[in-house]
Structures are given as C-alpha cells and as structure tokens.
Amino acid sequence: AAPVVGKPTTIETVFMPEFIASLEECERELNLAPTISQSLAAVHYDSGAKDVIAYLKNSADGIVVWGGETAVHAYRNDLPARCRMIVFGPKLSVGIVTDQAMRETPADAIARGLADDVCIWDQNACTAPQICFVQGKSNAETLLRSLRNQLPQATRRLPAGDTDPDQAAEIRKLRSIYEIAAIRGESQLVTSGNSLDWTVYLSDNTEMEPSPLHRTLKIAYFDDLDALK
C-alpha cells in the first residue's frame, strides 16, 4: 500500500498513534503481513513549520486537509501541479432540538446526551456540536438550566483536557462578552466558574461563528425550522 502520513491537530495527539497500534495488533492476531499498519504514520509538527509543510507538499501525490482557511492556504499555496489537494473544511457539528422533542423528552435527558457529546474529545471531533439550535426561547432557557446541572456531572466522568494559551484567551474573551450581555438582560451565560472546563451561552443569533472549542457551546434559539435553512 502507498504510505500515508497523518498529522493530528496539536491538541489531539493520542488517537491516531493508538489507532495505528491497534491495526498492527489486529494484523498479528490474524497472522497477516503488517501491510496496513506499516503504511501509516502519525507525525506532529507546528502549523507554522513552513519547511516541513514544503517538504511534504513536494513529496506527496495528494493532500487531504480538514481545517479553516489558514490551514487550507498553508497547503494550497505553492502546491506542485502533480499533487492533488482535497479540502473538507473545518470540523463542525451542530445539534437541533425541536419544540416537539422538548415536550416528549425530559430536558435533563436531552442535556445529558448533549453534555456527553460536548465533553467527549473536548469538541475536537466532527461529532461534537459547537452550537445547538433550540426551537423557542423558553425551551432554550430550560435546556440551559439543565446543562448547568449535567455538564458538571459529565466533566466528573470525562475530565476536561488542557487548553493552550491562545484557546484559553479566546474562551475568557467570549465569557467577558456574554457576561456583559447577561448583565444587560440580552443573553444568559453558565460556566464552570474559575476553571475553563465548560462554557455555555444563550443567543438569538443563529449564524455559525468560530468557536474556541474546549466544551464551549452556543445555545441559539429560533422560532421556525425554515429559519435554519
């Protein structure tokens, strides 16, 4: 098999090496040649390591990028004509809670599932919602109150990872903005207090916004499902 080099995100350094090791173990158990496991490699380098990126671009037949504009441009610029690039964009997932769901399912049950989805991988996976759309402001407020109880429990089961300085600064900045909005009666904010373990805020803005991740969840309320199209 052609060799494949994978670069995990700087804060997600465990899964890929363990995944490759598990493939190697499966090949041994099945008495297979280690064809797949030995064709994979996980490497770590800073996103600003231009010399490493240049070497990879000049050596690869194809590059697949998950990320925002900065990451895409880093690999697209000066890409050799023989190297094909496939872009999937940033990891982004959302949740939707309708009025019917809130009537039929206890708010704590919805909040428990949402809290687990947010806490697994600290939102560093495509399945972890960064924004949850809730039909009706009162429903959104109810879900926010339930999350205030469920997120601490989820965090005890799944302790939060560390934040880098830039990520911590973005979380504090977002908290400051919504603390002021809450004082003005324009929003609501619940957090893990002095720690940065989790942050949830209420908003009437249904636009997608960049998130600092690390269990930072936006609850956006809407009236009609057509408004989300």
Side-chain angles (χ1 to χ4, degrees):
V4 175
V5 177
K7 177 195 179 300
T9 63
T10 54
I11 54 178
E12 186 181 301
T13 59
V14 176
F15 175 76
M16 188 177 291
E18 292 298 322
F19 175 68
I20 295 173
S22 70
L23 290 176
E24 185 177 16
E25 182 179 349
C26 288
E27 288 171 327
R28 286 198 305 269
E29 290 178 352
L30 296 172
N31 294 319
L32 299 174
T35 305
I36 298 177
S37 60
Q38 290 191 7
S39 68
L40 302 175
V43 298
H44 300 279
Y45 56 87
D46 187 85
S47 57
K50 295 181 180 180
D51 55 337
V52 176
I53 295 175
Y55 177 82
L56 291 173
K57 287 192 290 190
N58 288 315
S59 304
D61 295 317
I63 298 176
V64 180
V65 179
W66 284 266
E69 291 187 14
T70 300
V72 171
H73 287 309
Y75 290 92
R76 177 172 284 161
N77 292 344
D78 301 320
L79 189 69
R82 63 171 179 76
C83 183
R84 182 184 179 190
M85 183 173 175
I86 302 173
V87 177
F88 284 101
K91 296 177 291 187
L92 184 62
S93 181
V94 303
I96 299 177
V97 180
T98 63
D99 180 60
Q100 180 179 354
M102 290 292 292
R103 292 197 307 269
E104 296 177 351
T105 308
D108 282 347
I110 296 175
R112 188 180 307 116
L114 187 57
D116 285 347
D117 286 343
V118 167
C119 290
I120 294 175
W121 303 102
D122 286 344
Q123 289 181 309
N124 291 308
C126 300
T127 56
Q130 299 172 26
I131 177 172
C132 182
F133 298 102
V134 182
Q135 190 171 19
K137 184 177 181 180
S138 62
N139 286 331
E141 292 174 335
T142 298
L143 186 60
L144 187 75
R145 289 192 295 271
S146 292
L147 284 167
R148 187 199 303 268
N149 297 323
Q150 295 300 326
L151 273 166
Q153 296 181 37
T155 298
R156 283 193 290 272
R157 296 193 306 271
L158 302 164
D162 295 329
T163 57
D164 62 49
D166 290 339
Q167 187 179 44
E170 288 299 317
I171 294 173
R172 291 191 178 96
K173 177 181 176 182
L174 183 145
R175 284 186 176 187
S176 296
I177 292 172
Y178 281 91
E179 282 172 359
I180 295 173
I183 292 172
R184 293 175 175 172
E186 299 170 356
S187 180
Q188 295 183 38
L189 172 74
V190 294
T191 73
S192 52
N194 293 329
S195 78
L196 300 179
D197 286 351
W198 55 268
T199 304
V200 186
Y201 61 101
L202 187 70
S203 175
D204 62 355
N205 179 8
T206 57
E207 297 294 324
M208 303 299 297
E209 299 172 325
S211 170
L213 303 180
H214 195 73
R215 310 185 181 191
T216 302
L217 182 65
K218 173 181 175 180
I219 302 294
Y221 55 88
F222 66 95
D223 293 323
D224 193 284
L225 283 171
D226 290 335
L228 299 183
K229 293 181 179 179

